[in-house]
Structures are given as structure tokens and as C-alpha cells.
Amino acid sequence: MQNVLRIATFNIHKGVTSFNARFALHEQRELIRKLQADIVFLQEVRDQHIKHSRRFSAWPLDGQVEFLADAVWSDYAYGKNSVYPAGHHGNALLSKFPIAKYENTDISAHHSEQRGLLHCEIAVPGWQQPLHCICVHLGLFARWRRQQIGLLRERIEEMVPADAPLVIAGDFNDWSMTAGRELVHGLHLHEVFEHHGGKPARSFPSFLPVFRLDRIYVRGFNVRHVEVHSGPQFVKVSDHAALTAVLSRV
């Protein structure tokens, strides 16, 4: 029975560095592989972009999600959130275990910013219940995030049994450190870095993190280890650090 899970979350900035200066998807794939996660939560995955596919010779023909999953993660799901003439991007989840079903829900709070919740049910070997995983990327403004947290809460209350294992991870854009309170107090989740060190991890900018934007919330797990993957080498990878957590079932 699989009692220990390694979780990762990473905002890949559409596979390019800041200001679209450099194509970084290959370095991102190598980094994600080194994290050795069973399940990877990804934000800002640009699965199709006509102009970038012409500009960058190494752009994957089959899309970024399949390229990142490659032969390591047998299952993956993609939630298309933002669609534009050149292509689209959204959240994605890579899993070494079967994804029994998934649904992407629109939680956009304003027409200028498209956001979604990618909710996957994963069949972990030996578990009587599916593992519920929700990948999120919340809005830039506090009032939008409050609305989106409310929709996330409704989703959990309606679709996730109270005794089912649950992981929520992604880019919360929570500069004010208030977005997660309702998850913690209302839904009995806990943030893995806050559980270990008192506060969520510093994750932005990745080369020298100051702001605590990225989170991993869990229910039904003990937290065995957490780590922030950041440093000067990330200048050529992404503006966000990657976060990992090692979890064990309660």
C-alpha cells in the first residue's frame, strides 16, 4: 500500500522566462524530474501557442503538458483556462497513479483574467478512497481571490467527502497572507509550510524569494518534510520557486 506521497507545485510561467525572453521548458522538465514527485501541480502551462511554436525551435509539437509528463508520469490532466487567438494556457496535474476522473471549473472573477480549478480524483494503489487533488491559480486582486476561495470551498463541500484525503496546491497570489484562512478554519485543512515553520513558504521571485505566493494545503495527512527549491539558477527557469512536500496518510 502506498502510504507516503511526494507532492510538488510549480508555476512554469508558460514555459518561458520573464518578458518571454528565453524558452525554458526543457530546463523546467529537468527540474520537475529531479523533484521526484508522485503528483505535480502546475500553473501557467501554455499547451498551445502558434507564435511561440514558430519562434522557439525546441517547442514541443504535442503540447507542453505531454512534454512535461513524458515517460515519468503516466497520467496527466489539463484545464484550459485562458484562450486567445494564438493558443491557450491553464493548470495541469501530472500523476504516477491513474487519474480516475477530472473536471476543470471556471472561477474567473473578471473578464480580464481567466482562472480555473482543476479537480482530479486519483486512484492510489491500496487506498479505499480516491485522493482528491485540486490545482489552483488565483487572481491578482484580493476581492477576486475572496470570490475564488468561496468557489473553491463550495467545490470541496459538494464534491469531496469529509473523510477523503485532499491536497490543494498552486499559486495563490496571496500577497496579503489572508486567502487561506477560510481553508484552514472552515475546511480543516493545513498549509504544509505553515504547519512546519509557522508561515507559508517564500516562493517569489524564485532567485531570492520574498513573497509567500505558492501554497500546499492538505487534509488527512501528516507532513513529514517540506522544501523550497529556489536560488540564482532559477533566473533561467521560472519566476516562481518550486515547492515540495512529503506526506503520509493519517
Side-chain angles (χ1 to χ4, degrees):
M1 180 176 173
Q2 181 84 26
N3 285 320
V4 177
L5 290 179
R6 187 174 178 90
I7 302 294
T9 184
F10 187 29
N11 183 326
I12 69 167
H13 198 260
K14 305 180 182 74
V16 295
T17 57
S18 298
F19 307 108
N20 297 331
R22 181 177 177 274
F23 185 54
L25 193 70
H26 290 259
E27 289 90 340
Q28 291 170 348
R29 183 171 71 172
E30 290 308 306
L31 168 66
I32 294 169
R33 286 176 173 179
K34 290 177 181 177
L35 300 179
Q36 298 182 326
D38 299 303
I39 301 170
V40 184
F41 296 70
L42 298 171
Q43 304 85 49
E44 291 196 33
V45 179
R46 177 168 272 165
D47 209 42
Q48 180 180 337
H49 197 279
I50 297 171
K51 293 181 180 179
H52 282 187
S53 65
R54 294 170 179 168
R55 175 184 172 189
F56 302 115
S57 60
W59 190 273
L61 296 177
D62 295 324
Q64 290 188 354
V65 182
E66 185 171 340
F67 176 81
L68 292 171
D70 196 36
V72 179
W73 292 273
S74 58
D75 279 39
Y76 53 86
Y78 172 62
K80 185 191 301 184
N81 295 330
S82 186
V83 181
Y84 28 84
H88 49 80
H89 71 265
N91 299 325
L93 189 137
L94 315 179
S95 175
K96 292 183 179 179
F97 312 116
I99 298 176
K101 61 181 180 179
Y102 71 92
E103 183 178 5
N104 193 57
T105 303
D106 184 3
I107 60 166
S108 303
H110 193 270
H111 64 83
S112 65
E113 188 184 80
Q114 290 74 48
R115 304 291 187 183
L117 300 178
L118 178 61
H119 180 185
C120 300
E121 294 186 27
I122 297 176
V124 181
W127 291 20
Q128 294 183 348
Q129 292 177 294
L131 167 65
H132 289 259
C133 292
I134 303 178
C135 185
V136 303
H137 186 188
L138 301 186
L140 292 174
F141 295 100
R143 64 183 182 277
W144 297 355
R145 292 194 296 272
R146 284 194 296 270
Q147 178 179 328
Q148 291 159 351
I149 287 288
L151 293 171
L152 172 58
R153 180 187 177 114
E154 290 177 8
R155 175 80 187 183
I156 295 168
E157 291 175 338
E158 293 175 6
M159 304 299 295
V160 182
D163 60 344
L166 170 63
V167 180
I168 304 168
D171 179 358
F172 279 68
N173 267 322
D174 187 19
W175 310 85
S176 61
M177 297 281 292
T178 59
R181 291 176 184 170
E182 190 170 351
L183 299 178
V184 173
H185 299 298
L187 295 171
H188 308 293
L189 289 140
H190 59 270
E191 206 284 323
V192 297
F193 288 86
E194 190 170 3
H195 179 76
H196 262 239
K199 292 183 179 180
R202 298 181 188 271
S203 62
F204 184 90
S206 57
F207 63 90
L208 187 62
V210 175
F211 299 105
R212 306 175 191 273
L213 303 188
D214 301 88
R215 312 282 170 80
I216 302 174
Y217 291 92
V218 300
R219 189 170 73 188
F221 293 95
N222 290 318
V223 182
R224 299 176 58 166
H225 179 73
V226 294
E227 188 171 351
V228 180
H229 304 266
S230 61
Q233 71 276 17
F234 269 73
V235 172
K236 296 183 177 181
V237 182
S238 176
D239 54 352
H240 283 254
L243 308 182
T244 55
V246 179
L247 312 173
S248 59
R249 285 293 305 273
V250 172

